[in-house]
Amino acid sequence: MSEGLGADQREHWRNVYARNPHMYGAEPSEAARHAARVWAERDARTVLELGAGHGRDALWLADQGLTVHATDFSATGLEQLSEAAEKRGLADRVTPHPHDAREPLPWDDASVDGVFAHMLLCMALSTEQIRALVGEVRRVLRPGGAFVYTVRHTGDAHYGAGTSHGDDIYEHGGFAVHFFGRELVGQLAEGWDLDEVHEFSEGELPRRLWRVTMSRPTG
Ligand SMILES: C[S@@+](CC[C@H](N)C(=O)[O-])C[C@H]1O[C@@H](n2cnc3c(N)ncnc32)[C@H](O)[C@@H]1O
């Protein structure tokens, strides 16, 4: 994967949200509802969402009473999140943080109770960058906390379509996606307790995804 692809994708996602405000709608994803259930069992209070976009999930999680830190590298997405948070009276519970997932997370060790990333790990990140990011998630998550992430996988209709950037990354219609194989899910779970890998689909295509739930061991 070339260095330039990351910068191109950043610009792409800035434009995507500028042209299609609130493109994922106002309703939370099923994956976010699942994360909320998992965290409720563990008494989570402060959570981190990576790749939150315009915040359909971050806002709903805040509405459930959680304190939410929402990251994304799209300034336009986060502006829409902030405006919606103000309108819904949630601005004191959800904080947007401009952040590129290829950089270390600006949080202290064991400082959050849960982490959520819906379709972020499968963006234009190399396998090495994904591994580094999951290492960062493990560092900031408290022992016993759960990380819920979703990724498009190699059974998706767009796998292999469009321009190949290597490392199972394909760009189709301007969107670069790293399609996950099951082996990569297993590798990322090393040093974690892998609670569940659940297959589901979302959207009209439909996108074919895995929802992975894994916990930072307490021992
Ligand atoms: C498929 S969208 C999903 C958005 C949101 N999770 C949702 O489901 O509504 C992927 C998101 O990841 C963000 N993104 C892609 N690459 C990123 C990166 N390297 N760092 C931070 N955010 C990134 C995009 O701006 C976009 O908001």
Side-chain angles (χ1 to χ4, degrees), residues 6 9-10 13-14 17 23-25 29 49-57 71-74 77 99-102 116-120 122-125 175 202 207:
Q9 285 295 299
R10 189 181 186 125
W13 279 103
R14 197 184 68 75
Y17 290 123
M23 62 184 272
Y24 291 106
S29 65
E49 182 181 0
L50 305 171
H54 61 73
R56 61 170 167 161
D57 291 330
T71 73
D72 204 284
F73 73 174
S74 171
H99 176 263
D100 190 318
R102 292 168 294 173
F116 177 62
H118 187 23
M119 298 187 286
L120 181 270
C122 60
M123 292 288 98
L125 304 169
F175 293 89
E202 187 181 282
R207 301 181 199 94

Side-chain angles (χ1 to χ4, degrees), residues 82-198:
S82 294
E83 282 164 21
E86 284 289 344
K87 274 192 196 145
R88 290 169 58 172
L90 294 168
D92 57 338
R93 256 192 259 141
V94 55
T95 312
H97 300 267
H99 176 263
D100 190 318
R102 292 168 294 173
E103 302 294 332
L105 293 172
W107 278 275
D108 291 336
D109 295 0
S111 58
V112 300
D113 301 318
V115 182
F116 177 62
H118 187 23
M119 298 187 286
L120 181 270
L121 265 57
C122 60
M123 292 288 98
L125 304 169
S126 67
T127 299
E128 201 179 316
Q129 288 166 339
I130 295 166
R131 290 175 78 103
L133 177 58
V134 172
E136 277 292 280
V137 169
R138 193 176 187 283
R139 180 183 66 75
V140 303
L141 189 60
R142 72 159 160 80
F147 177 30
V148 176
Y149 73 85
T150 71
V151 286
R152 290 172 74 177
H153 61 66
T154 52
D156 190 284
H158 280 167
Y159 176 58
T163 308
S164 169
H165 291 282
D167 208 4
D168 272 342
I169 299 173
Y170 291 88
E171 185 179 340
H172 189 265
F175 293 89
V177 175
H178 189 142
F179 293 91
F180 272 48
R182 188 62 180 76
E183 202 182 315
L184 180 53
V185 172
Q187 285 169 9
L188 295 175
E190 281 167 23
W192 294 77
D193 292 332
L194 182 57
D195 302 318
E196 185 198 44
V197 181
H198 169 76

Side-chain angles (χ1 to χ4, degrees), residues 28 32-33 35-37 39-40 44-45 47 56-68 88 90 93:
R33 292 180 189 275
R37 285 193 294 271
W39 293 333
R45 305 270 163 93
V47 299
R56 61 170 167 161
D57 291 330
L59 293 162
W60 180 81
L61 292 166
D63 215 12
Q64 305 309 296
L66 291 159
T67 296
V68 183
R88 290 169 58 172
L90 294 168
R93 256 192 259 141

